[in-house]
Amino acid sequence: MKYFFIIFLLGFAASSYGKLIFETKEIHAEIIEGQAYYPFSFKFKSTGEPIEILKIDTSCMCTIVNDIKKIYPNGATGILQGKINLNGKEGTIVISISILTSNKQEEKIVLLVFINVNKLIDITPKLHLWDKTLPYKIKQLNIKKHSTNSFKIKSLSYDKKLFYVKKEEDYILVSPRPSIRVDTQSILEIKAESSKLKKIKTFKIHLLIK
């Protein structure tokens, strides 16, 4: 009975520690290239004894969060707000935010922000290879763009003595000239322009004959 009472007291003491309960610990977002910042917020509520937020760390200097370091009594609510500087970033970005509290029984609370930065325009694949011993097949470059930001192909630069290139609305066709039967490395440079954004993007496609 004595040991049961001790275990009960320990369990009660552990449960009396204050905790922060977050509505979610992860945010997933899809954005389009060109957005300068991504704002985010995490809502939380405190339970149990008063709890203090002691320290907040982020995994990237590109992330700024508001100062919410204070004591939260039972039932109090709060919002951790911040923004992520997206300048020069593309692809998938993962930012972690660590929160240290006065609860000695709990490790740091870790919040995560996942951002997928979609390109305004992309042309794939970036490499095409032909076998010089076989008949050459026409290969296709796919143009993927967001309709909200109208990009148009401005120019195509390539060695016309080596390759045929034809531009269509959503793709570009490429093939070596039949007479070229030697190892060849060349570049197809494609420039796309958006008058709306006053922006030009350059793509370099590698063309190889082996």
Side-chain angles (χ1 to χ4, degrees):
M1 183 71 181
K2 178 180 179 182
Y3 292 113
F4 174 80
F5 183 68
I6 293 173
I7 293 172
F8 172 78
L9 287 178
L10 291 173
F12 177 78
S15 64
S16 66
Y17 275 100
K19 293 189 70 176
L20 296 180
I21 307 299
F22 283 80
E23 289 186 2
T24 181
K25 290 185 177 182
E26 292 186 7
I27 292 175
H28 296 258
E30 295 277 340
I31 68 167
I32 297 175
E33 176 189 12
Q35 182 173 325
Y37 292 92
Y38 177 75
F40 62 86
S41 62
F42 290 93
K43 295 182 180 179
F44 61 88
K45 183 178 181 178
S46 66
T47 62
E49 294 295 314
I51 181 171
E52 183 178 3
I53 293 179
L54 303 173
K55 188 179 181 183
I56 303 173
D57 291 317
T58 64
S59 62
C60 175
M61 294 181 64
C62 61
T63 306
I64 301 172
V65 296
N66 62 323
D67 187 2
I68 56 170
K69 296 192 297 291
K70 66 177 185 179
I71 297 175
Y72 294 84
N74 182 34
T77 59
I79 303 178
L80 172 65
Q81 295 178 313
K83 63 180 181 179
I84 300 169
N85 186 339
L86 300 173
N87 184 36
K89 292 181 171 56
E90 60 181 35
T92 301
I93 303 165
V94 182
I95 302 295
S96 64
I97 303 162
S98 300
I99 301 175
L100 179 65
T101 72
S102 55
N103 184 349
K104 304 298 184 184
Q105 302 298 313
E106 184 178 41
E107 294 183 358
K108 289 182 179 180
I109 300 169
V110 179
L111 309 175
L112 296 171
V113 181
F114 297 86
I115 305 173
N116 189 35
V117 182
N118 295 298
K119 294 182 179 181
L120 291 167
I121 181 172
D122 197 14
I123 300 176
T124 57
K126 299 293 190 297
L127 182 147
H128 274 305
L129 174 64
W130 290 268
D131 187 334
K132 65 185 178 184
T133 66
L134 299 175
Y136 292 140
K137 292 183 178 180
I138 296 175
K139 297 194 176 183
Q140 181 171 305
L141 298 170
N142 299 305
I143 303 172
K144 182 180 179 182
K145 53 187 175 181
H146 293 271
S147 58
T148 53
N149 299 285
S150 54
F151 267 87
K152 293 183 178 180
I153 301 301
K154 183 181 180 182
S155 66
L156 301 171
S157 299
Y158 61 98
D159 191 333
K160 295 178 175 61
K161 295 180 180 179
L162 301 176
F163 292 92
Y164 291 112
V165 177
K166 183 179 180 182
K167 180 178 72 68
E168 300 291 349
E169 181 63 28
D170 297 317
Y171 58 90
I172 297 170
L173 300 176
V174 185
S175 176
R177 292 185 177 274
S179 60
I180 306 302
R181 294 292 170 177
V182 294
D183 289 354
T184 303
Q185 296 185 27
S186 189
I187 296 288
L188 167 59
E189 185 175 277
I190 305 168
K191 289 190 176 182
E193 181 180 32
S194 171
S195 56
K196 181 179 178 181
L197 298 175
K198 296 181 179 178
K199 199 170 193 177
I200 296 177
K201 294 183 71 69
T202 301
F203 300 88
K204 291 187 177 182
I205 311 300
H206 294 265
L207 308 177
L208 303 178
I209 301 173
K210 294 290 185 181

